[in-house]
Amino acid sequence: MSTTALDEQAPPAAVAPTAALRPRRLGRKRLGPGRPVPYGWAIGPLLLLALWAAGSGLGLVDARSLPAPWTIAGTAGDLIGNGKLQSHLATSAGRALLGLLFGVAAGLVLALVSGLSRLGEAVIDGPVQIKRAIPSLALIPLLILWFGIGETMKVITIALGVFVPVYIHTHNGLRTIDNRYAELAETVRLGRLAFVRHVVLPGALPGFLLGMRFAVTAAWLALVVVEQVNATSGIGYMMELARTYGQTDVIIVGLVVYGLLGLVSDALVRLVERRTLTWRRTLAG
């Protein structure tokens, strides 16, 4: 029998496995989340705003409990017109920024000491985990006794809420660095500072930025509370004063401002994360 005849009689199963291994180019199913949606971060808040407006317009929401969005917009316009909102916002932003700076610095330094030294971890990690289990707001009575009811207590409370997430995620980032990089650094005789600069900091950067996202949120959460403790200015003080006079619309304006500050802060950290971690290929795109 000729070779051609044998080829013609060969069973199709002999070539089936090879064909099955070829990637399907047409109609391929994507398992990832797909491409990022333009301005996707704004879709959720806009949907909530639309539901709120629809409920107010149809009379489903009691205006005394939750004023309509257009009422809140008018109140915000009045507060901006007389300069009160800008003044309170500047005070709140200053407190949050100071607490954030001190908290991030403390969390980063403690994470580096604990992550690069077994002795440092033994001394530092335990107390930080204890602090992690104690809400920062629960420490306010003690902080008032120690530092009074002035600005120092407020900034320290914010810093205590900030440094824990920065420490936790930065420390975790340090501990998950591949040990082979340390061995390679020892092989090429890198010094301690060069090792920290070229290996430790790049390896811990993803964890640090994740901690920053939690930190900016924690800063605003702590600010809401401390500004209602004997404050004479700030968004929280404005809201507390409005509660005294039953001004629900002013309280909602304060809540909206806090929400926008948190949203913008998180967006800024995410922007920095995308710009600095371009070498990573993740599902986030």
Side-chain angles (χ1 to χ4, degrees), residues 39-51 263:
Y39 303 102
W41 57 270
I43 294 178
L46 288 177
L47 286 176
L48 289 177
L49 181 61
L51 290 174
L263 187 64

Side-chain angles (χ1 to χ4, degrees), residues 213-235:
R213 292 188 62 186
F214 286 96
V216 293
T217 302
W220 297 117
L221 289 176
L223 182 69
V224 174
V225 177
V226 297
E227 286 192 331
Q228 299 180 23
V229 179
N230 198 48
T232 57
S233 60
I235 301 297

Side-chain angles (χ1 to χ4, degrees), residues 238-240 242-244 246-256:
M238 182 186 73
M239 294 170 60
E240 181 65 18
R243 182 193 64 82
T244 304
Q247 298 172 319
T248 308
D249 52 346
V250 177
I251 296 176
I252 300 298
V253 169
L255 292 176
V256 170

Side-chain angles (χ1 to χ4, degrees), residues 67-178:
W70 42 90
T71 303
I72 302 301
T75 302
D78 294 337
L79 292 172
I80 293 173
N82 57 33
K84 291 183 179 180
L85 186 61
Q86 298 93 308
S87 176
H88 291 308
L89 180 58
T91 303
S92 296
R95 287 173 181 150
L97 183 59
L98 276 177
L100 190 65
L101 289 176
F102 288 125
V104 170
L108 183 59
V109 170
L110 291 176
L112 288 174
V113 174
S114 178
L116 298 177
S117 169
R118 293 296 182 182
L119 178 60
E121 184 178 35
V123 173
I124 295 174
D125 193 64
V128 173
Q129 297 300 332
I130 293 174
K131 167 60 190 73
R132 182 187 179 189
I134 301 175
S136 299
L137 303 182
L139 296 175
I140 288 181
L142 187 61
L143 294 176
I144 291 176
L145 291 176
W146 287 352
F147 303 104
I149 53 178
E151 292 297 312
T152 302
M153 180 274 296
K154 296 176 175 60
V155 172
I156 291 177
T157 303
I158 296 170
L160 288 175
V162 164
F163 98 92
V164 171
V166 173
Y167 170 88
I168 293 296
H169 292 284
T170 305
H171 182 269
N172 181 68
L174 288 169
R175 286 305 186 191
T176 54
I177 295 176
D178 197 325

Side-chain angles (χ1 to χ4, degrees), residues 44-69:
L46 288 177
L47 286 176
L48 289 177
L49 181 61
L51 290 174
W52 180 13
S56 299
L58 296 174
L60 301 177
V61 178
D62 186 1
R64 293 173 298 180
S65 302
L66 183 62

